[in-house]
Amino acid sequence: MAVIGTGFGGLAATIELKKRGHDDIVVFEKAGDVGGVWRENTYPGAACDVPSSLYSFSFEPNPHWPHKFSRQPAILDYIHKVVDKYDVRRHIRFHTEVTAARWDDETKTWRLGLSTGKTETVDLFVPAVGQLSRPSIPSIPGADTFCGEAFHSAEWNHDLSLTGKRVAVIGTGASAIQFVPEVRKDAARVLVFQRSAPYIVPRKDFERTDPAHPIPQLLDRAKIWTQAEWLTTTFHIKPLSAVMRTWSKRHMQAQTAAKPGLFEKVWPDYPFGCKRVLFADDYLPALAQPNVDVITTDITEISPTGVTTVDGRHHEADVIIWGTGFKATDFLAPMTITGTQGRDLHTHWKDGAHAYHGMTVPGFPNLLIMYGPNTNTGGGSIIFFLETQARYLGRYADHIAEAGPLEVRAEVEEAYDARIQEKLADSVWSRCTSWYREKNGRITTNWPSISARYRRSASYDKADYTPA
């Protein structure tokens, strides 16, 4: 059995398999350490926007979270402890990337091509590479001519001092709202280029000084889970959405009052929930500081000395930081994955990725994807979804150990996808352009309802599968 990745998805899969007695597991990790996105994203202010008591495994609560919304170092430390406690490390091959996977119709196994030049043959292939792991940088004319330093927030240049620098931040997503307040403390000037404003609601973070006791922590987790389900529900019910929009507006108005005209720049022009709602208490006050400007005019090009906007203005910059998110809809890229009779997975997905419960694909036996198509949460914790998928994987692995290689029935997957897309077509996420959607409008990232319904839906049934 092979698992790709040592983020939360890869760990959930590996630990579940081990709990069920499957010990012949190899975990491929392209880097030299575990952690996935929490290893890679080390930008100033990096933190989770889901409270830590929910953004953690249900079977491994952590009484020592230092904040309600813990920072990247604390989350990575938690991952290290989980890896060691559940004996995952001995299964990991570091500095080894899976570049290709091909199903062998004769031996009925997966043959994996590795970055080391070697190959590995396995019976069960579990990619857990996530949706938000490959940085996305837009193609802007002249970007390669810029003479200063330029980097994506997920590839932060810690050797570069920003003190006294003119910094251009392109993008205003979940990462930017965390690092902009930190960057502006040192930079002489920060220019925030905003294409689309996010809705922002209060975060209300606080430090924890004493260890949490088990029962109160469990109750806190239940409360936060309920709140997250409520938030997701508001995206789909207009009266509730209107209430949340008003709450966000009051918060944003209060936090931008110090700079006249700022609120009008940062107030969104699309329905509440259509793009990711962000939690922050320090981002808008940072934008109100004298050394920060928000620029809403479209960028036309980047020159050696800065950024030019459509109004003809040239904005000089010493550093460009891309806060432009990730290639969320490029599932399992850049791997080449070949299923039965030589079929290519990315060709199969040419109009947008889809899979049964986001995990299994017809024509690709013994392939189970963690955090696959339509399994992203609009307002909760992805770890809840990953634990659901890991349980499904465990039952699937038990089944193939008895029955041999299996693939999901095409008619089962097609009917499932039709139901999901019908629900999504009328959802709030269809009403604007975002990283949730393909260029053709298909929503390939999000689950269309609350997480409890996903858990009820993703229940393994042998009847859905046929021998490969």
Side-chain angles (χ1 to χ4, degrees):
M1 299 180 179
V3 176
I4 305 179
T6 60
F8 277 107
L11 297 183
T14 304
I15 292 169
E16 180 67 22
L17 289 172
K18 286 172 64 66
K19 285 180 177 179
R20 289 174 172 267
H22 303 285
D23 196 64
D24 187 11
I25 306 167
V26 58
V27 182
F28 294 104
E29 172 52 62
K30 66 180 180 180
D33 193 11
V34 299
V37 296
W38 295 109
R39 178 193 62 242
E40 300 298 318
N41 286 268
T42 60
Y43 57 81
C48 188
D49 57 5
V50 177
S52 297
S53 59
L54 184 59
Y55 194 81
S56 51
F57 290 125
S58 62
F59 58 82
E60 189 57 33
N62 177 17
H64 301 289
W65 289 117
H67 294 85
K68 178 181 179 181
F69 296 87
S70 289
R71 283 39 170 177
Q72 176 267 340
I75 298 172
L76 186 58
D77 181 62
Y78 172 80
I79 290 173
H80 275 277
K81 290 177 179 176
V82 169
V83 166
D84 292 334
K85 179 173 179 177
Y86 291 89
D87 190 29
V88 175
R89 195 173 299 275
R90 67 181 173 88
H91 297 277
I92 303 173
R93 291 190 199 173
F94 291 108
H95 301 294
T96 306
E97 184 173 7
V98 176
T99 58
R102 175 176 288 274
W103 175 257
D104 189 315
D105 289 316
E106 292 186 6
T107 63
K108 298 187 182 301
T109 56
W110 282 99
R111 189 173 179 83
L112 310 182
L114 309 177
S115 58
T116 59
K118 297 180 179 180
T119 61
E120 187 83 17
T121 300
V122 298
D123 55 356
L124 177 61
F125 178 39
V126 186
V129 296
Q131 293 185 18
L132 306 175
S133 57
R134 299 180 63 230
S136 175
I137 297 178
S139 179
I140 298 177
D144 58 344
T145 70
F146 183 63
C147 291
E149 293 287 336
F151 53 87
H152 191 277
S153 61
E155 299 168 335
W156 199 270
N157 183 354
H158 290 279
D159 295 329
L160 176 68
S161 172
L162 298 179
T163 302
K165 298 286 198 306
R166 297 167 296 182
V167 180
V169 174
I170 299 178
T172 53
S175 299
I177 70 161
Q178 293 183 346
F179 70 71
V180 165
E182 300 301 318
V183 167
R184 75 96 196 155
K185 295 175 183 177
D186 297 322
R189 192 135 197 101
V190 178
L191 304 174
V192 179
F193 291 87
Q194 173 190 277
R195 184 177 62 176
S196 180
Y199 281 99
I200 297 175
V201 295
R203 192 178 187 199
K204 297 182 180 179
D205 191 21
F206 57 84
E207 286 190 50
R208 299 182 184 275
T209 55
D210 299 319
H213 294 290
I215 298 302
Q217 187 176 28
L218 181 62
L219 293 174
D220 185 55
R221 180 184 176 91
K223 181 187 76 172
I224 294 169
W225 179 80
T226 303
Q227 291 171 341
E229 297 288 80
W230 160 261
L231 175 61
T232 304
T233 301
T234 66
F235 297 159
H236 305 286
I237 301 176
K238 287 184 179 180
L240 297 181
S241 179
V243 171
M244 297 297 288
R245 187 174 184 270
T246 299
W247 180 45
S248 174
K249 187 173 185 178
R250 289 176 178 172
H251 174 66
M252 294 177 69
Q253 284 177 324
Q255 292 215 309
T256 55
K259 181 179 281 190
L262 177 58
F263 173 75
E264 288 71 21
K265 286 186 175 182
V266 300
W267 181 239
D269 59 358
Y270 53 85
F272 182 85
C274 188
K275 299 188 180 186
R276 185 173 176 180
V277 176
L278 305 180
F279 295 78
D281 293 327
D282 58 354
Y283 173 66
L284 295 173
L287 300 187
Q289 296 303 310
N291 68 330
V292 180
D293 285 322
V294 177
I295 299 168
T296 57
T297 312
D298 289 345
I299 296 172
T300 55
E301 65 176 343
I302 295 175
S303 73
T305 57
V307 180
T308 302
T309 46
V310 72
D311 56 4
R313 291 187 61 191
H314 180 68
H315 308 270
E316 293 189 349
D318 304 307
V319 179
I320 293 176
I321 303 176
W322 300 98
T324 46
F326 301 87
K327 298 177 181 178
T329 59
D330 291 351
F331 289 90
L332 305 188
M335 284 184 289
T336 300
I337 300 178
T338 308
T340 58
Q341 300 178 357
R343 67 187 70 188
D344 177 75
L345 180 60
H346 297 293
T347 300
H348 180 69
W349 283 349
K350 60 182 173 58
D351 295 322
H354 51 96
Y356 188 48
H357 298 307
M359 291 181 276
T360 57
V361 184
F364 295 83
N366 287 17
L367 166 69
L368 194 140
I369 307 163
M370 300 291 293
Y371 199 4
N374 297 118
T375 65
N376 186 58
T377 169
S381 171
I382 189 56
I383 297 179
F384 185 91
F385 283 73
L386 295 175
E387 288 193 36
T388 300
Q389 292 159 25
R391 293 171 192 176
Y392 193 99
L393 166 64
R395 294 191 65 189
Y396 183 94
D398 290 346
H399 189 187
I400 64 173
E402 298 172 357
L406 299 169
E407 65 174 295
V408 65
R409 297 178 184 274
E411 67 274 17
V412 170
E413 192 275 336
E414 289 168 5
Y416 172 84
D417 182 58
R419 292 195 302 271
I420 295 300
Q421 290 304 315
E422 182 180 6
K423 292 177 181 178
L424 288 168
D426 192 41
S427 72
V428 68
W429 300 310
S430 67
R431 298 171 195 162
C432 67
T433 300
S434 73
W435 61 263
Y436 298 149
R437 305 177 72 189
E438 298 277 357
K439 291 181 180 179
N440 63 9
R442 180 186 175 95
I443 300 169
T444 57
T445 57
N446 284 9
W447 168 249
S449 186
I450 57 176
S451 62
R453 286 186 178 173
Y454 180 75
R455 178 156 290 184
R456 288 197 298 269
S457 170
S459 177
Y460 185 77
D461 186 347
K462 293 181 180 181
D464 294 334
Y465 291 84
T466 185

